[in-house]
Short mmCIF file of all heavy atoms in Angstrom, two decimals:
data_model
loop_
_atom_site.label_atom_id
_atom_site.label_comp_id
_atom_site.label_asym_id
_atom_site.label_seq_id
_atom_site.Cartn_x
_atom_site.Cartn_y
_atom_site.Cartn_z
N GLU O 30 -20.00 -22.25 6.20
CA GLU O 30 -20.15 -21.55 4.91
C GLU O 30 -20.06 -20.04 5.12
O GLU O 30 -19.44 -19.33 4.32
CB GLU O 30 -21.49 -21.90 4.30
CG GLU O 30 -21.66 -23.35 3.89
CD GLU O 30 -20.97 -23.69 2.58
OE1 GLU O 30 -21.09 -22.87 1.62
OE2 GLU O 30 -20.28 -24.72 2.52
N ALA O 31 -20.67 -19.54 6.20
CA ALA O 31 -20.63 -18.09 6.48
C ALA O 31 -19.20 -17.65 6.78
O ALA O 31 -18.75 -16.60 6.33
CB ALA O 31 -21.55 -17.77 7.68
N ALA O 32 -18.44 -18.44 7.54
CA ALA O 32 -17.06 -18.11 7.86
C ALA O 32 -16.22 -18.11 6.60
O ALA O 32 -15.37 -17.21 6.39
CB ALA O 32 -16.51 -19.10 8.89
N ALA O 33 -16.43 -19.09 5.74
CA ALA O 33 -15.63 -19.15 4.48
C ALA O 33 -16.00 -17.97 3.57
O ALA O 33 -15.10 -17.42 2.91
CB ALA O 33 -15.95 -20.46 3.75
N PHE O 34 -17.24 -17.57 3.59
CA PHE O 34 -17.67 -16.45 2.74
C PHE O 34 -17.01 -15.16 3.22
O PHE O 34 -16.53 -14.37 2.41
CB PHE O 34 -19.18 -16.34 2.78
CG PHE O 34 -19.72 -15.18 1.97
CD1 PHE O 34 -19.95 -15.38 0.62
CD2 PHE O 34 -20.03 -13.97 2.53
CE1 PHE O 34 -20.44 -14.33 -0.19
CE2 PHE O 34 -20.53 -12.91 1.74
CZ PHE O 34 -20.74 -13.12 0.41
N ARG O 35 -16.99 -14.95 4.54
CA ARG O 35 -16.37 -13.73 5.06
C ARG O 35 -14.88 -13.70 4.73
O ARG O 35 -14.33 -12.66 4.44
CB ARG O 35 -16.57 -13.66 6.60
CG ARG O 35 -18.00 -13.29 7.01
CD ARG O 35 -18.08 -12.93 8.46
NE ARG O 35 -17.86 -14.10 9.30
CZ ARG O 35 -18.80 -14.95 9.71
NH1 ARG O 35 -20.07 -14.73 9.36
NH2 ARG O 35 -18.53 -15.98 10.47
N LYS O 36 -14.26 -14.88 4.76
CA LYS O 36 -12.82 -14.95 4.43
C LYS O 36 -12.59 -14.56 2.96
O LYS O 36 -11.67 -13.85 2.65
CB LYS O 36 -12.31 -16.36 4.72
CG LYS O 36 -10.79 -16.50 4.58
CD LYS O 36 -10.32 -17.89 4.95
CE LYS O 36 -8.83 -18.00 4.82
NZ LYS O 36 -8.35 -19.36 5.17
N GLU O 37 -13.47 -15.09 2.06
CA GLU O 37 -13.39 -14.76 0.65
C GLU O 37 -13.53 -13.26 0.42
O GLU O 37 -12.82 -12.65 -0.36
CB GLU O 37 -14.44 -15.53 -0.14
CG GLU O 37 -14.26 -17.01 -0.24
CD GLU O 37 -15.43 -17.70 -0.87
OE1 GLU O 37 -16.30 -16.99 -1.42
OE2 GLU O 37 -15.50 -18.93 -0.82
N GLN O 38 -14.53 -12.65 1.08
CA GLN O 38 -14.79 -11.25 0.90
C GLN O 38 -13.59 -10.42 1.40
O GLN O 38 -13.21 -9.45 0.79
CB GLN O 38 -16.05 -10.82 1.66
CG GLN O 38 -17.31 -11.44 1.09
CD GLN O 38 -17.60 -10.93 -0.33
OE1 GLN O 38 -17.67 -9.77 -0.60
NE2 GLN O 38 -17.78 -11.89 -1.26
N GLY O 39 -13.05 -10.82 2.55
CA GLY O 39 -11.93 -10.10 3.10
C GLY O 39 -10.70 -10.16 2.22
O GLY O 39 -9.88 -9.21 2.17
N ALA O 40 -10.57 -11.28 1.50
CA ALA O 40 -9.41 -11.44 0.63
C ALA O 40 -9.47 -10.53 -0.59
O ALA O 40 -8.49 -10.13 -1.17
CB ALA O 40 -9.30 -12.89 0.16
N ASP O 41 -10.72 -10.16 -0.96
CA ASP O 41 -10.90 -9.32 -2.20
C ASP O 41 -10.83 -7.84 -1.91
O ASP O 41 -10.57 -7.07 -2.79
CB ASP O 41 -12.27 -9.66 -2.83
CG ASP O 41 -12.23 -11.00 -3.54
OD1 ASP O 41 -11.11 -11.47 -3.83
OD2 ASP O 41 -13.30 -11.60 -3.75
N VAL O 42 -11.13 -7.46 -0.65
CA VAL O 42 -11.16 -6.04 -0.32
C VAL O 42 -10.12 -5.75 0.74
O VAL O 42 -10.30 -6.03 1.88
CB VAL O 42 -12.56 -5.62 0.20
CG1 VAL O 42 -12.58 -4.13 0.45
CG2 VAL O 42 -13.64 -6.01 -0.79
N GLU O 43 -8.96 -5.22 0.29
CA GLU O 43 -7.89 -4.96 1.23
C GLU O 43 -8.14 -3.64 1.93
O GLU O 43 -8.47 -2.63 1.29
CB GLU O 43 -6.56 -4.92 0.47
CG GLU O 43 -6.04 -6.27 0.03
CD GLU O 43 -4.62 -6.14 -0.45
OE1 GLU O 43 -3.71 -5.87 0.37
OE2 GLU O 43 -4.38 -6.31 -1.66
N PRO O 44 -7.92 -3.62 3.24
CA PRO O 44 -8.06 -2.32 3.94
C PRO O 44 -6.88 -1.40 3.63
O PRO O 44 -5.80 -1.86 3.24
CB PRO O 44 -8.04 -2.75 5.42
CG PRO O 44 -7.24 -4.04 5.42
CD PRO O 44 -7.57 -4.71 4.12
N LEU O 45 -7.08 -0.11 3.83
CA LEU O 45 -6.04 0.87 3.62
C LEU O 45 -5.14 0.92 4.84
O LEU O 45 -5.61 0.86 5.98
CB LEU O 45 -6.63 2.23 3.32
CG LEU O 45 -7.46 2.36 2.03
CD1 LEU O 45 -7.95 3.79 1.86
CD2 LEU O 45 -6.67 1.91 0.83
N GLU O 46 -3.84 1.09 4.61
CA GLU O 46 -2.84 1.14 5.68
C GLU O 46 -1.99 2.38 5.50
O GLU O 46 -1.98 3.02 4.45
CB GLU O 46 -1.95 -0.11 5.67
CG GLU O 46 -2.67 -1.43 5.69
CD GLU O 46 -3.24 -1.79 7.02
OE1 GLU O 46 -2.94 -1.05 8.00
OE2 GLU O 46 -4.01 -2.78 7.11
N ARG O 47 -1.26 2.73 6.57
CA ARG O 47 -0.27 3.80 6.48
C ARG O 47 1.14 3.22 6.56
O ARG O 47 1.34 2.21 7.24
CB ARG O 47 -0.43 4.80 7.66
CG ARG O 47 -1.76 5.53 7.69
CD ARG O 47 -1.75 6.60 8.78
NE ARG O 47 -3.02 7.29 8.89
CZ ARG O 47 -3.96 6.93 9.77
NH1 ARG O 47 -3.77 5.91 10.58
NH2 ARG O 47 -5.09 7.62 9.83
N MET O 48 2.09 3.84 5.89
CA MET O 48 3.49 3.39 5.96
C MET O 48 4.38 4.63 5.97
O MET O 48 4.29 5.50 5.12
CB MET O 48 3.83 2.49 4.76
CG MET O 48 5.26 1.95 4.83
SD MET O 48 5.67 0.84 3.43
CE MET O 48 4.79 -0.66 3.95
N ASN O 49 5.26 4.71 7.01
CA ASN O 49 6.24 5.79 7.10
C ASN O 49 7.50 5.32 6.38
O ASN O 49 8.04 4.25 6.69
CB ASN O 49 6.54 6.11 8.56
CG ASN O 49 5.35 6.73 9.25
OD1 ASN O 49 5.08 7.91 9.11
ND2 ASN O 49 4.58 5.89 9.98
N LEU O 50 7.99 6.11 5.46
CA LEU O 50 9.12 5.72 4.64
C LEU O 50 10.24 6.80 4.70
O LEU O 50 9.97 7.99 4.85
CB LEU O 50 8.71 5.58 3.15
CG LEU O 50 7.66 4.50 2.87
CD1 LEU O 50 7.19 4.61 1.45
CD2 LEU O 50 8.28 3.10 3.08
N ARG O 51 11.49 6.33 4.58
CA ARG O 51 12.65 7.23 4.47
C ARG O 51 13.15 7.18 3.03
O ARG O 51 13.35 6.08 2.47
CB ARG O 51 13.77 6.80 5.42
CG ARG O 51 14.96 7.74 5.45
CD ARG O 51 15.94 7.35 6.54
NE ARG O 51 17.00 8.33 6.64
CZ ARG O 51 18.15 8.28 5.97
NH1 ARG O 51 18.37 7.30 5.09
NH2 ARG O 51 19.06 9.22 6.14
N VAL O 52 13.30 8.34 2.39
CA VAL O 52 13.73 8.41 1.02
C VAL O 52 15.23 8.07 0.95
O VAL O 52 16.07 8.78 1.53
CB VAL O 52 13.49 9.82 0.39
CG1 VAL O 52 13.96 9.87 -1.05
CG2 VAL O 52 12.01 10.15 0.51
N GLU O 53 15.57 6.98 0.27
CA GLU O 53 16.98 6.52 0.14
C GLU O 53 17.42 6.37 -1.29
O GLU O 53 18.61 6.18 -1.54
CB GLU O 53 17.16 5.20 0.91
CG GLU O 53 16.91 5.33 2.41
CD GLU O 53 17.01 4.00 3.11
OE1 GLU O 53 16.99 2.95 2.42
OE2 GLU O 53 17.11 3.96 4.36
N ASN O 54 16.49 6.40 -2.23
CA ASN O 54 16.82 6.25 -3.63
C ASN O 54 17.49 7.53 -4.15
O ASN O 54 16.82 8.59 -4.19
CB ASN O 54 15.56 5.94 -4.42
CG ASN O 54 15.84 5.61 -5.89
OD1 ASN O 54 16.92 5.89 -6.39
ND2 ASN O 54 14.83 5.04 -6.53
N PRO O 55 18.76 7.51 -4.54
CA PRO O 55 19.45 8.74 -4.96
C PRO O 55 18.83 9.33 -6.23
O PRO O 55 19.01 10.53 -6.47
CB PRO O 55 20.90 8.27 -5.21
CG PRO O 55 20.79 6.79 -5.42
CD PRO O 55 19.68 6.31 -4.56
N ASN O 56 18.12 8.54 -7.00
CA ASN O 56 17.48 9.07 -8.21
C ASN O 56 16.30 9.99 -7.91
O ASN O 56 15.80 10.67 -8.81
CB ASN O 56 17.00 7.93 -9.10
CG ASN O 56 18.16 7.09 -9.63
OD1 ASN O 56 19.17 7.60 -10.04
ND2 ASN O 56 17.99 5.74 -9.57
N LEU O 57 15.84 9.98 -6.64
CA LEU O 57 14.70 10.83 -6.26
C LEU O 57 15.13 12.18 -5.73
O LEU O 57 14.29 13.00 -5.34
CB LEU O 57 13.85 10.11 -5.20
CG LEU O 57 13.27 8.74 -5.63
CD1 LEU O 57 12.39 8.16 -4.50
CD2 LEU O 57 12.45 8.89 -6.91
N GLU O 58 16.44 12.45 -5.69
CA GLU O 58 16.93 13.73 -5.19
C GLU O 58 16.42 14.87 -6.09
O GLU O 58 16.66 14.86 -7.30
CB GLU O 58 18.48 13.73 -5.15
CG GLU O 58 19.08 15.05 -4.74
CD GLU O 58 18.79 15.43 -3.30
OE1 GLU O 58 18.67 14.51 -2.43
OE2 GLU O 58 18.60 16.64 -3.02
N GLY O 59 15.69 15.80 -5.48
CA GLY O 59 15.19 16.98 -6.18
C GLY O 59 13.96 16.73 -7.04
O GLY O 59 13.55 17.61 -7.81
N VAL O 60 13.36 15.55 -6.94
CA VAL O 60 12.17 15.19 -7.76
C VAL O 60 10.92 15.81 -7.10
O VAL O 60 10.74 15.69 -5.89
CB VAL O 60 12.03 13.70 -7.94
CG1 VAL O 60 10.71 13.33 -8.62
CG2 VAL O 60 13.20 13.16 -8.70
N ASN O 61 10.06 16.43 -7.91
CA ASN O 61 8.74 16.86 -7.41
C ASN O 61 7.86 15.68 -7.11
O ASN O 61 7.90 14.67 -7.82
CB ASN O 61 8.07 17.77 -8.44
CG ASN O 61 8.73 19.09 -8.53
OD1 ASN O 61 9.51 19.52 -7.67
ND2 ASN O 61 8.46 19.82 -9.62
N LEU O 62 7.07 15.82 -6.07
CA LEU O 62 6.20 14.71 -5.67
C LEU O 62 5.26 14.29 -6.79
O LEU O 62 5.00 13.13 -7.01
CB LEU O 62 5.37 15.11 -4.45
CG LEU O 62 4.65 13.96 -3.75
CD1 LEU O 62 5.62 12.96 -3.15
CD2 LEU O 62 3.74 14.51 -2.66
N GLY O 63 4.79 15.26 -7.61
CA GLY O 63 3.89 14.92 -8.68
C GLY O 63 4.52 14.10 -9.79
O GLY O 63 3.84 13.41 -10.54
N ALA O 64 5.87 14.14 -9.82
CA ALA O 64 6.60 13.34 -10.88
C ALA O 64 7.26 12.12 -10.28
O ALA O 64 8.06 11.48 -10.93
CB ALA O 64 7.66 14.25 -11.50
N LEU O 65 6.92 11.77 -9.04
CA LEU O 65 7.54 10.63 -8.38
C LEU O 65 7.20 9.32 -9.09
O LEU O 65 6.01 9.00 -9.26
CB LEU O 65 7.07 10.59 -6.92
CG LEU O 65 7.72 9.54 -6.03
CD1 LEU O 65 9.22 9.80 -5.89
CD2 LEU O 65 7.06 9.55 -4.65
N PRO O 66 8.16 8.56 -9.57
CA PRO O 66 7.89 7.31 -10.27
C PRO O 66 7.10 6.34 -9.38
O PRO O 66 7.40 6.18 -8.20
CB PRO O 66 9.30 6.78 -10.59
CG PRO O 66 10.19 7.95 -10.52
CD PRO O 66 9.61 8.85 -9.46
N GLY O 67 6.13 5.64 -9.99
CA GLY O 67 5.40 4.62 -9.30
C GLY O 67 4.27 5.10 -8.42
O GLY O 67 3.47 4.28 -7.89
#
């Protein structure tokens, strides 16, 4: 029961991750970061 509970809790609280990205969308050329869609 304890193991199942920990699994349930872990599924609800996702840890934060880092992701390095390369800008390839041509619609983002010259866009300010504050106006970045999404």
Side-chain angles (χ1 to χ4, degrees):
E30 294 282 315
F34 181 83
R35 286 192 292 270
K36 187 176 181 180
E37 290 173 12
Q38 294 295 307
D41 286 339
V42 183
E43 286 192 67
L45 297 182
E46 307 285 352
R47 298 187 183 95
M48 182 179 285
N49 292 280
L50 297 170
R51 185 173 185 271
V52 180
E53 296 176 346
N54 185 344
N56 295 318
L57 300 182
E58 176 66 34
V60 172
N61 288 343
L62 192 64
L65 186 63

